[in-house]
Amino acid sequence: MFAENIKYLDYNSTTPIDPRVLEAMLPFLKDNFANSSSSHHFGQRIKEMVKQAREQIADFINAESDELIFTSGATEAINIAIKGVAESYFNKGKHIITLSTEHKAVLDTCNDLERKGFEVTYLSVASNGLIDLEELKLAIRSDTVLVSVMYVNNEIGVIQPIKEIAKLAHETGALFMTDATQAAGKTRIDVNNLGVDLLCFSGHKMYAPKGIGALYIRTKTKLNPQIHGGGHERGLRSGTLNVPGIVALAKACELASEEMDLNQKSISILRDKLEAELLQLPNTSINGVSENRIYNTTNIRFIGQDANILIGRMKNIAVSNGSACSSSVIEASHVLKAIGLNDDDAFASLRFSLGKFNTMEDIDSVIQTIKELNQ
Ligand SMILES: *Cc1c(COP(=O)(O)O)cnc(C)c1O
């Protein structure tokens, strides 16, 4: 799959495109290029393809196709959802609740709303990364318009109790949104069973290309549009549709549905082996151990080491460190700090996120390399 024999264990950052997804989208980059809004036959044919793709993607999360809009990715979907709700339900209240371990796309959007006069509660998490439902109960008020909690955390893999959170939000009439970017393709999603009002995911985290994402909006949920123009996507996201991306996302959903159980089985075996072997090294431990953890992710702290130096020494291995580069200063990961790590321990942490193209050989090679670096 990869040039130069790279051992790629950074699937939570982005995935390669599945060759079958690439094959499905290619005709739409070549001959089938028409604008799906054009009224000529050529455009109408593309419109029909988009309709089918939308049904398939909606099916993937057990939604209706008119509850789905396409975006450029999860970041855009999150902005459209959170800002859209905040502006629409302004008269009901100006309070939003989210989690301190959310992706920056959620946190920065909430920060922006705070500057515009909204009030945001950032809930803390336990040392295993899980939300405290009692704390949530106390935080919800009659003027809370939205609760937004991610499904699966991208850094430590903890799975939040989405169904319970949605129920609590609804008890006071607040809407519930979940960023399901790390859940989609890895675990089955049913928006009705979960009871969510808004949910987003992104193509490039599930073997489709970058630049395509989807936002589920439960019928009757009001969103003030953030992107104005030709009125595409029921006026909620104007702009010519990314047809190759949409077709690719539909194919990625189809493959994920069919192969999810198999992938889960094989990836779990690899992740568990990697984790068990690395934990045998002195001064290592898992960040955010929880019963509820996605099967492809492990975040390990190599106490006393510098993750950046480790990454620099691992020439053929792609993993992530426990820090983020924001405004050109390197900061310790806000997720690791939220689960109680100090800066040194956060900077000593590596995230390994596996995917369906990993092999036992990749894992053995990574274990071998890290063992050698520890000598
Ligand atoms: C990657 C990611 C995002 C951002 O997705 P884009 O499609 O790259 O904008 C948001 N949330 C989570 C949890 C992610 O992992």
Side-chain angles (χ1 to χ4, degrees):
M1 193 71 200
F2 300 100
E4 307 159 49
N5 198 24
I6 297 283
K7 313 297 179 200
Y8 187 80
L9 276 73
D10 200 17
Y11 281 79
N12 288 6
S13 290
T14 193
T15 61
I17 302 180
D18 185 300
R20 295 165 293 179
V21 169
L22 180 62
E23 199 182 325
M25 76 185 284
L26 275 179
F28 296 87
L29 288 164
K30 292 182 182 165
D31 301 336
N32 301 337
F33 63 85
N35 190 320
S36 58
S37 302
S38 297
S39 44
H40 46 69
H41 284 288
F42 194 25
Q44 290 303 300
R45 226 166 53 217
I46 301 296
K47 188 178 175 182
E48 182 55 34
M49 293 305 296
V50 169
K51 182 167 174 264
Q52 283 177 23
R54 195 188 300 272
E55 280 166 9
Q56 205 168 1
I57 298 163
D59 245 16
F60 179 66
I61 56 170
N62 194 27
E64 299 298 327
S65 58
D66 62 0
E67 293 177 306
L68 203 72
I69 66 165
F70 294 117
T71 65
S72 64
T75 301
E76 188 191 325
I78 288 163
N79 273 268
I80 291 174
I82 298 181
K83 291 176 187 166
V85 165
E87 289 176 10
S88 277
Y89 294 86
F90 185 81
N91 286 327
K92 179 181 182 270
K94 296 173 91 176
H95 182 231
I96 293 168
I97 299 174
T98 189
L99 214 53
S100 54
T101 51
E102 291 289 311
H103 190 274
K104 288 284 181 187
V106 170
L107 295 176
D108 277 2
T109 300
C110 286
N111 289 163
D112 183 57
L113 287 172
E114 279 185 289
R115 282 188 292 273
K116 291 171 179 159
F118 290 86
E119 196 187 331
V120 183
T121 300
Y122 300 91
L123 299 174
S124 59
V125 295
S127 60
N128 59 9
L130 277 171
I131 188 174
D132 180 342
L133 292 176
E134 290 305 316
E135 195 186 332
L136 172 63
K137 259 187 221 165
L138 292 172
I140 300 180
R141 319 187 306 218
S142 58
D143 65 338
T144 306
V145 287
L146 179 70
V147 176
S148 188
V149 174
M150 71 200 314
Y151 199 151
V152 173
N153 185 272
N154 47 305
E155 292 192 37
I156 56 176
V158 62
I159 303 170
Q160 302 294 350
I162 295 304
K163 203 171 166 169
E164 286 75 8
I165 301 169
K167 215 168 136 199
L168 286 175
H170 290 157
E171 278 172 12
T172 54
L175 292 168
F176 178 64
M177 144 98 184
T178 189
D179 169 5
T181 310
Q182 292 294 343
K186 298 189 183 102
T187 183
R188 292 193 198 277
I189 296 175
D190 180 332
V191 289
N192 294 313
N193 179 46
L194 292 173
V196 299
D197 303 297
L198 297 142
L199 176 147
C200 70
F201 54 100
S202 181
H204 78 96
K205 304 288 177 86
M206 50 181 289
Y207 309 99
K210 292 151 190 73
I212 185 69
L215 175 63
Y216 160 77
I217 308 161
R218 184 176 292 282
T219 308
K220 294 199 180 124
T221 308
K222 284 183 289 180
L223 289 186
N224 217 37
Q226 304 299 312
I227 297 170
H228 303 272
H232 308 76
E233 301 298 84
R234 292 180 288 121
L236 289 171
R237 201 277 191 178
S238 284
T240 303
L241 269 61
N242 172 5
V243 179
I246 292 166
V247 170
L249 184 60
K251 186 68 183 178
C253 289
E254 178 194 317
L255 295 174
S257 274
E258 288 169 7
E259 299 169 2
M260 198 176 288
D261 298 341
L262 271 176
N263 289 336
Q264 167 156 8
K265 223 183 230 168
S266 58
I267 295 170
S268 309
I269 292 170
L270 300 180
R271 194 280 306 265
D272 291 349
K273 162 135 194 227
L274 175 69
E275 191 169 273
E277 293 272 345
L278 293 181
L279 287 176
Q280 298 212 331
L281 294 169
N283 303 318
T284 53
S285 60
I286 308 178
N287 293 321
V289 205
S290 158
E291 286 301 302
N292 309 308
R293 194 158 56 114
I294 200 78
Y295 53 82
N296 82 312
T297 305
T298 182
N299 193 311
I300 298 190
R301 155 161 110 241
F302 297 84
I303 300 154
Q305 306 227 38
D306 181 330
N308 266 330
I309 293 175
L310 282 177
I311 287 177
R313 284 186 180 161
M314 294 189 280
K315 290 274 181 289
N316 292 318
I317 298 172
V319 296
S320 273
N321 55 15
S323 59
C325 230
S326 49
S327 57
S328 76
V329 282
I330 300 176
E331 287 175 358
S333 146
H334 70 283
V335 174
L336 297 181
K337 293 193 81 170
I339 61 170
L341 272 67
N342 60 29
D343 278 15
D344 283 349
D345 281 347
F347 283 130
S349 298
L350 290 177
R351 175 188 72 184
F352 302 84
S353 54
L354 283 59
K356 67 181 180 182
F357 297 120
N358 283 130
T359 61
M360 193 52 95
E361 192 201 329
D362 291 346
I363 300 307
D364 288 339
S365 156
V366 170
I367 294 167
Q368 173 81 16
T369 303
I370 294 181
K371 279 189 174 162
E372 281 167 14
L373 288 178
N374 261 269
Q375 275 163 8

